[in-house]
Amino acid sequence: MPDDDRIAFKLELTVCDRTIEAETPIPNQPLRVVDLLPVLLAFDSALVGMAADKTESDGQKISCREGCGACCRQIVPVAEAEAVYIAELVADLPAPRQAYIRQRFQEALAALGEEFVERLHDTSKCHELAERRRLGEEYFNRGIPCPFLDQERCSIYQHRPMRCREYLVTSPAENCSNPSPETVRPVDVPVQLSRILFCFADGLGDQSTRWLPLVLALEFSGEQKRFPGPELFRRFVSQIGH
Ligand code: SF4
């Protein structure tokens, strides 16, 4: 696409006493939210990085390290656009790897059990925080690793969902293998783009929060509407800080 078919957006955002400036070109054509994800995921990582810097400069050490996948047995909420992104990512993998990942998804679903998977299909019924916590605990207690976890490393690190990026802890890493609100201290990430993305199931950010567990991503078949790319991006960034 020629450069003149893109519109450059300049952003400046201050979080945790730190400011980031970024310029990103957005294609001036109809786009799905999923088409914006490479930009939004990078942006989310930058915001989380600012919160992490602030935490460490305040004297708290972040315990998360490469090779520690303890949190990768938790339920991972993904927005519908992320589910599509993951499904397309898997569909683009070389055939043997794709077959392996699809098998991992099947094994995870089988291990979760039909009845529990049925409940996971309807997370919209979990209105209360206590209900979501209970579902999360039941999921974690089954001890099922994320289908993308290979030797305790994320095999889609560059593409991992926003909630994975936004979850960092300062409590000892070993506490994550038996997490509770008392033993795990998450880093405070004041701007979490996942919360905005969860409201974009309609494509324009007018929806109430909607998410599904990552383990159901390959089964998701919802429609992704297209809107003019610059308008879509403008709508998304206008939600930051609200
Ligand atoms: S996508 Fe990656 S970081 Fe997220 S739970 Fe799976 S393995 Fe862990």
Side-chain angles (χ1 to χ4, degrees):
M1 175 183 297
D3 281 350
D4 56 7
D5 280 344
R6 295 166 190 261
I7 292 184
F9 280 82
K10 286 189 177 168
L11 302 169
E12 185 181 304
L13 197 63
T14 301
V15 177
C16 300
D17 307 333
R18 283 144 176 84
T19 300
I20 49 166
E21 293 177 13
E23 183 168 332
T24 185
I26 301 297
N28 192 15
Q29 64 185 45
L31 296 179
R32 307 166 302 166
V33 179
V34 63
D35 300 319
L36 291 180
L37 272 184
V39 170
L40 300 179
L41 290 173
F43 199 22
D44 194 43
S45 281
L47 294 169
V48 173
M50 289 155 80
D53 281 353
K54 172 80 165 70
T55 301
E56 297 216 303
S57 65
D58 286 349
Q60 295 183 74
K61 201 162 165 45
I62 292 172
S63 322
C64 306
R65 292 286 172 266
E66 195 185 350
C68 172
C71 61
C72 298
R73 287 158 180 83
Q74 296 195 28
I75 194 169
V76 178
V78 297
E80 292 185 359
E82 288 180 298
V84 173
Y85 185 74
I86 287 166
E88 292 181 354
L89 194 71
V90 171
D92 282 346
L93 290 172
R97 178 73 186 165
Q98 188 182 147
Y100 171 72
I101 292 293
R102 288 189 187 282
Q103 186 190 337
R104 291 276 307 270
F105 270 85
Q106 286 308 322
E107 286 169 0
L109 292 172
L112 287 167
E114 214 171 299
E115 198 183 316
F116 192 63
V117 169
E118 197 60 39
R119 285 171 59 201
L120 292 177
H121 270 288
D122 208 353
T123 51
S124 59
K125 285 191 181 149
C126 290
H127 299 298
E128 304 296 330
L129 178 64
E131 289 174 79
R132 292 198 293 277
R133 279 219 175 115
R134 198 159 48 243
L135 191 74
E137 277 169 20
E138 285 182 54
Y139 190 104
F140 184 80
N141 289 340
R142 285 166 161 82
I144 296 159
C146 171
F148 294 114
L149 192 66
D150 274 345
Q151 297 177 338
E152 300 304 306
R153 285 181 165 75
C154 177
S155 64
I156 56 161
Y157 192 76
Q158 297 302 324
H159 304 284
R160 70 200 188 285
M162 286 183 176
R163 293 301 287 169
C164 302
R165 291 163 204 258
E166 293 162 357
Y167 189 76
L168 297 171
V169 300
T170 55
S171 39
E174 55 271 23
N175 291 11
C176 290
S177 56
N178 187 16
S180 72
E182 293 74 39
T183 56
V184 172
R185 278 190 313 277
V187 169
D188 179 28
V189 180
V191 180
Q192 300 185 355
L193 296 193
S194 63
R195 293 180 189 276
I196 301 175
L197 197 60
F198 289 164
C199 298
F200 268 75
D202 62 347
L204 279 177
D206 293 331
Q207 191 94 36
S208 56
T209 291
R210 213 154 86 188
W211 59 273
L212 63 152
L214 181 150
V215 74
L216 297 180
L218 302 191
E219 303 194 348
F220 179 70
S221 59
E223 187 196 358
Q224 287 275 291
K225 291 184 190 152
R226 290 178 190 271
F227 297 96
E231 182 194 340
L232 198 54
F233 187 68
R234 203 173 286 118
R235 273 181 170 260
F236 192 93
V237 294
S238 72
Q239 298 296 321
I240 297 174
H242 283 193

